[in-house]
Amino acid sequence: MSPDSLFDRSARDFAGMTDAAIARKEYKRGELFVRAVLDTVPYAGDMLDYGCGPGRLARLIALEGYHVHGLDPSAGMLAEARRQDIGRLELVFEQLHDGGETIATARYDGI
């Protein structure tokens, strides 16, 4: 079994568990990541969420006013990321095909 298929198959369950934790205000991992961004990245900066999975951290960071580019190799995880209601958030999800070799890291204020 390839790692991608494992992530693809588990995407919906993982996203659902994360959504439930967010709704209960018990998503500590998300709180820690958002706090780290707020403490270290200029407001409205450009963020790269490398390995964004179902995009919940990316959305939480975008809700704080950041421009977020979420990348992940798993089509299943990205499908879950794109199912979110992101409204007018500055948030884009893209599939990673080359292991990250072509990412222009200089364009991001935080990764």
Side-chain angles (χ1 to χ4, degrees), residues 10 18 21 24-25 33 46 48 54 64 71 79 89 91 94 103:
S10 64
T18 305
R24 292 188 313 267
K25 304 221 184 298
F33 271 86
D46 293 315
L48 171 63
E64 295 294 333
L71 289 175
L89 294 176
L91 178 56
E94 183 179 3
I103 297 172

Side-chain angles (χ1 to χ4, degrees), residues 3-95:
D4 286 342
S5 65
L6 172 65
F7 287 114
D8 290 343
R9 284 197 325 268
S10 64
R12 183 154 298 182
D13 289 339
F14 182 70
M17 289 185 303
T18 305
D19 288 340
I22 291 169
R24 292 188 313 267
K25 304 221 184 298
E26 295 176 356
Y27 189 44
K28 298 302 177 196
R29 180 174 185 257
E31 291 173 23
L32 292 171
F33 271 86
V34 169
R35 175 57 41 209
V37 170
L38 292 171
D39 288 347
T40 60
V41 180
Y43 176 73
D46 293 315
M47 294 292 304
L48 171 63
D49 185 353
Y50 185 87
C52 67
R56 279 22 183 205
L57 288 173
R59 187 186 78 227
L60 292 173
I61 293 167
L63 283 167
E64 295 294 333
Y66 292 86
H67 310 273
V68 184
H69 183 193
L71 289 175
D72 201 279
S74 168
M77 288 290 185
L78 289 171
E80 290 303 316
R82 291 179 180 127
R83 279 187 177 85
Q84 300 179 95
D85 178 10
I86 62 169
R88 294 179 180 259
L89 294 176
E90 295 286 332
L91 178 56
V92 175
F93 295 107
E94 183 179 3
Q95 190 164 9

